[in-house]
Structures are given as C-alpha cells and as structure tokens.
Amino acid sequence: MLPLSQIVTATKLVGTPCYVCGWGPVAKRLSALAKIDTPLPLRHWLSFKTHPVKSLLSTWRSFGLGVEVVSEFEFVAALQEGFHPTEILVN
C-alpha cells in the first residue's frame, strides 16, 4: 500500500476522484506469484481496462509481461504502448 502522505499529495494535485497506483505492491504480488511451483506454464496478465495507466503499462511491459484487452480500442492502445501482439490476450 502507498503511504497516506503520497495519496493525500496526489488528491491535492489532481482532485478527486482519482486513481492512485504504486509499483511496489504490484511487484510484491508478482514476486509471490513467481514462487508458485507448477509444471504448467504460468503467465501474468494486466487488465488494460482496469489499469489504463501509461506508467504502469510501461513498467509492466519492461518486465516482459502481457496485457489483457476486451475491445478493439484497448487492443490498438496496447499496440501503441509497445506491446507485441503475442503479449496481448484478447477476451
């Protein structure tokens, strides 16, 4: 979780409602998921619709992870953000 002071600063800067996200909690969960022992291939996908945040998408992509999209608009946006078609799960 982000420190309350950072959340307060963000809401003062842009007002409310706003979406506040930090990479730390995401990285912590990814680390825990990476420790799952399974003989099956395991891939992690970020929901584009839920998290359309450029910096989060960029960091996610830098780790070689894919995004999940549900519309043509999201598919095109994911391509524009640099995701390769093999890194895009279409639902």
Side-chain angles (χ1 to χ4, degrees):
M1 180 157 182
L2 292 173
L4 182 59
S5 62
Q6 288 182 350
I7 296 169
V8 169
T9 299
T11 58
K12 286 181 180 177
L13 183 65
V14 298
T16 60
C18 70
Y19 181 84
V20 179
C21 179
W23 180 250
V26 176
K28 184 177 179 180
R29 295 288 52 138
L30 281 173
S31 177
L33 289 170
K35 295 175 184 170
I36 295 174
D37 185 24
T38 177
L40 302 173
L42 187 61
R43 292 183 68 182
H44 307 295
W45 303 90
L46 181 70
S47 169
F48 196 98
K49 180 176 285 310
T50 308
H51 305 287
V53 180
K54 189 176 183 89
S55 59
L56 178 59
L57 291 167
S58 176
T59 302
W60 189 264
R61 185 173 43 80
S62 75
F63 280 82
L65 301 168
V67 292
E68 177 261 349
V69 301
V70 296
S71 69
E72 181 180 359
F73 176 83
E74 292 173 8
F75 180 75
V76 171
L79 290 173
Q80 290 174 343
E81 286 302 317
F83 287 92
H84 187 272
T86 60
E87 299 171 321
I88 302 172
L89 173 65
V90 179
N91 278 326

